[in-house]
Amino acid sequence: MSIAQPDVIKAPPRDGLSDASLFAVIFAISAFAYCLSLWMGERQGLASGLFAFVGDATCGWSWLLTRTLFRRDDPRPIWPLSVVLLLVATGGVLQMIPAQTQGWALMAARTETLLSSCLLLLALIEPLRGLRADTPRGERFFRLTFTAGYGALLIVAVIWASGAAAQWIKAACALLAVAGMAAATLYRHRHPLSLTTRSRRAASARDVALGARLLELVTQEKLFTDSELKLADLARRLGEPDYRVTQSLTRALGFRNINHMLNHFRLAAAKSQLADPDCDLPVLTIALDCGFGSIGPFNRAFKAEMGVTPTQYREARRAQA
């Protein structure tokens, strides 16, 4: 069972950095600010406070960068960035609270420490969660090398460093982390993740048959236009357990998950309306009619697949007509 490939419109030149490059730059800025705050020590003033504030979330930005290097989330989840912004906000609270406000300062400091520790550990295990028996040799080596280097820096900076030289050791580790992250980002640009990185098991005859039934159900009844549609709803309609429907999705049809499949058909329907010169419906109305719950997810999913926004797509298709 094959899935029709979407038509492609050439995207305009990008004037920004990719996610990985963007997070790498933010991480580097945060790490350098952290080093400067260590160098300034206990000095009071606007500069020292600013460096401490920017450097407080270094571990959070390292986690976001690591997620970007080793995951293929589509659309991108919002909660990881929200967690890091919470860490940034907590650092800001610590900078603004007077020293004598011990109760609130202690609470903010403990919150920041807990978040930082969790994010450091998450960044450490992020490369390992994608390892499988069939992971290509080069990708496996990259993930293991990254984990070993990151782990070594954590051991030295967080566990081993102590005494008068601790600040300089931590600063050196931060600078090494910047160099390591830059090398990892460059490697990922040259060896991007792809769907083939995660091999699927061969589809059985039962998977293929169920996949055909699933496609017929979703397309003929246009169930994808229901923004609240869940995997359990489809499984119930098909009279199959959830895991069997998931297997047919991934093995026979080649989708990553139920949202990937539904968005495929939603985007196809949206592109058809956007390309129709007689359709003057607003983009928001088209998004809702095709099954997207709001305009934000629609715009992100559309641009991730087509490389252009829905409005740009409509203008380009009408210009070609």
Side-chain angles (χ1 to χ4, degrees):
M1 182 67 61
S2 61
I3 303 298
Q5 295 299 315
D7 53 334
V8 177
I9 289 181
K10 184 177 180 181
R14 295 188 63 179
D15 56 2
L17 296 170
S18 67
D19 288 349
S21 297
L22 175 62
F23 288 140
V25 170
I26 297 176
F27 169 74
I29 293 173
S30 183
F32 285 130
Y34 172 74
C35 293
L36 287 172
S37 69
L38 291 177
W39 175 70
M40 298 189 74
E42 299 298 328
R43 301 178 194 176
Q44 300 295 322
L46 179 61
S48 61
L50 179 61
F51 290 143
F53 169 68
V54 175
D56 273 344
T58 302
C59 57
W61 297 118
S62 73
W63 174 55
L64 284 183
L65 174 57
T66 305
R67 279 180 58 92
T68 306
L69 292 174
F70 296 105
R71 290 201 187 196
R72 279 186 59 90
D73 290 331
D74 183 26
R76 305 176 190 91
I78 301 300
W79 71 267
L81 180 59
S82 301
V83 172
V84 176
L85 293 179
L86 175 61
L87 182 62
V88 173
T90 306
V93 170
L94 282 175
Q95 295 301 318
M96 292 186 295
I97 292 178
Q100 62 268 23
T101 314
Q102 296 298 323
W104 287 101
L106 183 60
M107 183 181 300
R110 288 177 175 175
T111 300
E112 183 185 42
T113 300
L114 178 61
L115 277 176
S116 299
S117 300
C118 290
L119 297 184
L120 285 174
L121 291 176
L122 287 174
L124 179 63
I125 65 177
E126 193 68 44
L128 302 179
R129 64 181 298 276
L131 279 178
R132 291 172 174 78
D134 55 0
T135 299
R137 183 176 180 180
E139 181 67 18
R140 177 182 295 272
F141 179 78
F142 173 49
R143 288 172 179 266
L144 293 177
T145 301
F146 184 96
T147 303
Y150 194 96
L153 290 177
L154 286 186
I155 291 174
V156 172
V158 179
I159 300 177
W160 180 75
S162 62
Q167 290 186 339
W168 302 109
I169 294 174
K170 291 180 178 180
C173 288
L175 295 177
L176 287 174
V178 171
M181 288 295 192
T185 303
L186 179 61
Y187 178 90
R188 181 53 78 209
H189 278 308
R190 294 178 176 177
H191 304 84
L193 281 172
S194 63
L195 292 178
T196 57
T197 302
R198 299 179 179 182
S199 302
R200 299 189 303 268
R201 291 179 58 183
S204 66
R206 186 177 179 183
D207 292 330
V208 174
L210 180 56
R213 291 172 56 204
L214 177 60
L215 285 182
E216 183 179 9
L217 175 66
V218 171
T219 56
Q220 289 192 359
E221 299 190 23
K222 294 188 177 181
L223 297 182
F224 57 85
T225 59
D226 180 2
S227 62
E228 301 297 325
L229 186 67
K230 306 296 183 185
L231 176 67
D233 300 326
L234 292 173
R236 185 170 55 255
R237 293 284 298 272
L238 293 166
E240 297 282 353
D242 291 7
Y243 80 93
R244 290 286 305 131
V245 177
T246 299
Q247 287 178 358
S248 71
L249 276 170
T250 57
R251 298 178 186 178
L253 302 180
F255 293 110
R256 293 190 295 277
N257 50 48
I258 181 64
N259 289 330
H260 184 205
M261 184 194 73
L262 294 176
N263 281 351
H264 173 86
F265 294 110
R266 289 166 178 165
L267 290 172
K271 285 184 287 183
S272 178
Q273 293 191 51
L274 290 169
D276 184 355
D278 297 325
C279 177
D280 293 321
L281 292 174
V283 172
L284 174 59
T285 302
I286 293 176
L288 298 178
D289 288 346
C290 293
F292 287 92
S294 62
I295 191 65
F298 172 61
N299 284 335
R300 289 192 295 270
F302 196 98
K303 188 167 185 179
E305 178 170 325
M306 301 304 299
V308 292
T309 66
T311 300
Q312 290 171 333
Y313 179 87
R314 168 180 268 176
E315 292 173 350
R317 292 305 296 263
R318 292 187 176 183
Q320 294 174 3

